[in-house]
Structures are given as structure tokens and as C-alpha cells.
Amino acid sequence: MTTVLKLGGSVVTDKDRPEALDGPALDAAADAVADALSSGDVDDLVVVHGGGSFGHHHASEHGVSTTEGTRDAGAVVQIHGAMKTLDEFVLARLHDRSVPAVPVHPLSVASRDRGGDLSLPTRGVETMLGEGFVPVLHGDVVAHEGAGATILSGDEVVTAVAEGVGADRVGFCSTVPGVLDGDEAVIPEIRSYEEVADLLGGSDATDVTGGMAGKVRALLDLGAPATIFGPDDLRAFLAGEQPGTLIRG
Ligand code: IPE
């Protein structure tokens, strides 16, 4: 059983300060992952983390988004470098807890075609899983045909890797406890976009990497059930429970 877990950038970093880690939040997440692996609740696990105050800060400084590219190699290296710095923190906190985490940097393997469609080969990730490793991927900057290099969100990485390895469960640990209805209550399950279109439609226009509307749409198309939950529910998700919002198309 393969699980793909995204740790939102806003969960593990302090989004108000450039390149600032939220150490206690990352520790709590690493504890939950380590405990789930050692108890056998989770066997094959892929971790993906977002950019938070590392990636987004440099991306906006250079005017790079998922669609606006750059041909400035220095900008590419700076955005990627910030993501690698965050990745080193994530890996170190996992290693402190004996989680066999190994890095996979999307810039080195992924690309977008002219239409923006992503190609992310996952054979390496599958082999790592087979050998008992926990591959750790992240949002990044990637080569984009006709545009130089654009931002690849961690959510897109999750979708591509989940499809590539045939994941059984997908979890998004984010700052919200799930998809919220008009009364700020968590919607337990979403089976079609129509059910939530009025709530989500258009409200996320300023989020360059998609926002909740884009996320829900992408997850409805995914072959595996996906769950969006807050940090307090990470342990429950890893234990096989269904906290937050379950999205299944
Ligand atoms: C962003 O990834 C990656 C970069 C800006 C380089 P995400 O969009 O997945 O990050 P979070 O989770 O929202 O912070």
C-alpha cells in the first residue's frame, strides 16, 4: 500500500518571514511520519513538501509563476537552491528519527511541454520505494518548453507521483482542517466539482499555484482517494483514518 503525503509549505515554514522554518511544526510532522512507519501503519511512503517562505519568496522576487517563466539561470538556481535548503531541513528532521528519507529534485527530472503539461518520470521513485527508502520530493522550478523555466507546485508533484507509482492514498497536510463550507465547517466528502463550485469558484484567483479550487479539481481526476486535513490530523490520516475532507471522483 503506497501513500503519498504532502506537507504544505505553510505548515512547515513561517510564511511571513523569508526562508524561515517552523521548526516545531516540522518536528511534529516528522514525529508523526516516523511513528507511522515504525508501527507499520504506513509501509511505502512518498513525502512531498511545498515551498512556503523558501520557494514563494524567491519565485515572486524573480516574477516566476507556474505560467510566467524565466530564462535567467541565476534565478532558476536561486529558487531551486532555496527549495533545496528547505529540503535539507526536512531530510535532516526525518533522519533524526531514523526515517530512510532520500531526496528527488524535480528540476533534474521533470519538465513541462508547450501547453504546460507536466512530465515527471517516477521509475526512480518506485525503485527507491522497493528498496525501503522514503523518497522526498518538493515544489520546484522546472524547464518549460517555450517559456524557459516555471514554478512546479508541490501539489502538481503529488498528482504526478501518485499517478506514476499507482498510490493507494494521498494526503495533503495543510493549514486548513479541510475544504470548508459557507459556515466554515469541514466538508467531509466531495465527489464532484459541482457540489462545491459555488463555494470555491473564483475565490482563489490570486493564488499562483492554484488555490483550493484548482486543488479540488485536480484531486477529483486522480485515480486514488485524496484527503485534505490540518496538522492536528496528520497522525489520524497516517493511521488510516479519514479526517478532514475526502476527495474521490
Ligand atoms: C511552491 O510549491 C514551490 C515554489 C514556489 C518553488 P507549493 O505551491 O506546493 O508550496 P506551498 O505548499 O503552497 O507553500
Side-chain angles (χ1 to χ4, degrees), residues 178-201:
V179 181
L180 305 179
D181 67 16
D183 299 321
E184 302 282 290
V186 173
I187 301 170
E189 190 168 340
I190 298 173
R191 304 294 296 248
S192 75
Y193 192 73
E194 291 75 65
E195 292 172 27
V196 289
D198 288 349
L199 282 169
L200 303 179

Side-chain angles (χ1 to χ4, degrees), residues 6 26 32 44 49 54 91 102 115 117 129 148 163 169 210 231 236-237 239-240 246:
K6 183 184 174 200
L26 180 54
D44 288 347
H49 63 81
F54 287 74
L91 291 167
V102 289
D117 283 342
L129 288 172
E163 272 165 6
R169 290 183 90 209
F237 170 77
L246 173 67

Side-chain angles (χ1 to χ4, degrees), residues 8-27 49-54 82-83 85-93:
S10 321
V11 173
V12 296
T13 75
D14 178 348
K15 255 197 158 171
D16 298 331
R17 290 183 296 141
E19 299 205 22
L21 196 68
D22 185 335
L26 180 54
D27 278 336
H49 63 81
S53 63
F54 287 74
M83 289 306 303
T85 303
L86 175 56
D87 196 52
E88 295 288 338
F89 283 121
V90 174
L91 291 167
R93 305 269 168 140

Side-chain angles (χ1 to χ4, degrees), residues 9-158:
S10 321
V11 173
V12 296
T13 75
D14 178 348
K15 255 197 158 171
D16 298 331
R17 290 183 296 141
E19 299 205 22
L21 196 68
D22 185 335
L26 180 54
D27 278 336
D31 281 341
V33 165
D35 290 348
L37 288 167
S38 65
S39 68
D41 279 346
V42 169
D43 38 27
D44 288 347
L45 177 68
V46 179
V47 173
V48 178
H49 63 81
S53 63
F54 287 74
H56 290 286
H57 169 72
H58 291 286
S60 65
E61 206 163 67
H62 292 289
V64 186
S65 69
T66 53
T67 51
E68 285 303 311
T70 181
R71 289 196 166 77
D72 175 356
V76 171
V77 170
Q78 210 172 68
I79 299 165
H80 178 67
M83 289 306 303
K84 276 204 302 190
T85 303
L86 175 56
D87 196 52
E88 295 288 338
F89 283 121
V90 174
L91 291 167
R93 305 269 168 140
L94 290 171
H95 291 165
D96 286 348
R97 292 154 177 86
S98 303
V99 174
V102 289
V104 177
H105 303 302
L107 171 62
S108 309
V109 291
S111 61
R112 290 189 199 278
D113 67 14
R114 229 162 248 282
D117 283 342
L118 177 67
S119 154
L120 176 61
T122 51
R123 184 72 187 270
V125 171
E126 281 174 84
T127 307
M128 287 170 180
L129 288 172
E131 295 304 311
F133 293 110
V134 172
V136 177
L137 295 90
H138 51 82
D140 208 342
V141 59
V142 288
H144 186 148
E145 206 181 341
T150 53
I151 299 299
L152 172 65
S153 75
D155 289 6
E156 288 176 280
V157 174
V158 168

Side-chain angles (χ1 to χ4, degrees), residues 203-246:
S203 61
D204 290 300
T206 52
D207 185 325
V208 289
T209 54
M212 195 58 94
K215 192 162 177 153
V216 169
R217 261 206 205 92
L219 297 181
L220 283 165
D221 287 340
L222 193 65
T227 308
I228 299 175
F229 52 86
D232 293 346
D233 284 325
L234 177 54
R235 278 178 185 276
F237 170 77
L238 292 172
E241 291 167 32
Q242 211 55 261
T245 302
L246 173 67

